[in-house]
Amino acid sequence: MILEELKEAVIEGDRELVEELCQKVLDEKINPVEAVENGLIKGIEEIGRLWTDGEMFLPDVMMGADALKAGLDILGPELSKAKAAGDAKEGKGKIVIGTVKGDIHDIGKNIVAAMMTAAGYDVYDIGFDQDAAAFTNKAEEVGAQIIAASALLTTTMGEQKELVDYLKERGLRDKYKVIIGGGPTTQGWADEIGADGWAETANDAVSLCNKLLA
Ligand code: B12
């Protein structure tokens, strides 16, 4: 099964094989959303487990992440097309997304951004290691409705609170819906810091945006 092969290729950190398999996904018209969720993500999740258990080391984790990203480069644009044929409407709203200051994890953020784009949102991705001012300035510049902040480390999730506080201090809090996500975050954390929403997966992130802007 190609999805299982994709997962294994990510775990092996075999970039060329991941690219080859992703091309095959497109050629054989396999649903790219499925390939991302049940192939690429499953692979990096397994890497996370192996790393935690001390069965894999940082260089191999990095190779796996690189292989996944190469696959996402191929499938990302197709996610948009796959959905565009369905229910997506153009110009649903503008979303600024990024990973918070001190945090370089951007795989989850990239997947969320791709799904949001696929759903018809205009997505402005400011990248990783971005402080509250960077999120805010971009949102002001493009006239966004939603600011989405990703954090993967317990040591950086506090930056999500910084963002909410930063907006409050500048009298901008009511102007934007702030949503958060990433490994260590929860709905409870979102409530605690006064964010407008939290989601566990990229699909749920899209549903959350739809709900917030309805
Ligand atoms: C890949 C990876 C890396 C790669 C990152 C590559 C990259 N470009 O992103 C590399 C090797 C560089 C790396 C580095 C580090 N990492 Co790392 N890394 C991971 C790993 C294995 C996978 C993360 C991932 O991509 N998951 C797959 C994606 C799809 O899932 P996700 O990010 O959670 O995103 C999904 C949802 O959360 C949600 N979502 C995500 N963002 C958002 C945003 C919004 C708004 C919403 C609504 C939803 C949403 O949707 C996504 C799709 O479904 C995790 C293990 C794990 N269990 O998560 C560790 C992990 C996150 N890393 C960890 C650590 C400790 C580090 C380092 C500090 C290690 C070190 N000693 O140097 C450094 C950090 C450097 C830094 N300053 O950021 C720890 C964090 C522990 C903690 N609780 O704080 C983890 C949990 C591993 C572990 N068990 O110890 N890492």
Side-chain angles (χ1 to χ4, degrees), residues 27-91:
D27 294 343
E28 296 184 4
K29 307 222 177 325
I30 294 163
N31 184 345
V33 178
E34 282 267 299
V36 170
E37 288 180 343
N38 297 323
L40 297 177
I41 295 184
K42 291 279 183 268
I44 198 81
E45 281 175 355
E46 181 61 20
I47 287 176
R49 266 189 296 276
L50 292 167
W51 191 15
T52 307
D53 294 347
E55 289 173 40
M56 197 182 246
F57 301 101
L58 197 56
D60 295 318
V61 178
M62 291 172 81
M63 279 179 71
D66 274 353
L68 184 152
K69 285 184 144 192
L72 202 58
D73 282 345
I74 296 174
L75 296 180
E78 297 304 316
L79 295 178
S80 316
K81 286 185 205 154
K83 289 261 174 127
D87 59 354
K89 282 197 248 54
E90 289 300 310

Side-chain angles (χ1 to χ4, degrees), residues 92 121 177 207-214:
K92 277 170 77 169
Y121 288 98
K177 300 288 182 193
S207 307
L208 176 63
C209 293
N210 292 344
K211 200 178 86 191
L212 288 172
L213 296 187

Side-chain angles (χ1 to χ4, degrees), residues 87-101:
D87 59 354
K89 282 197 248 54
E90 289 300 310
K92 277 170 77 169
K94 292 180 184 171
I95 302 173
V96 169
I97 191 168
T99 302
V100 299
K101 195 171 107 190

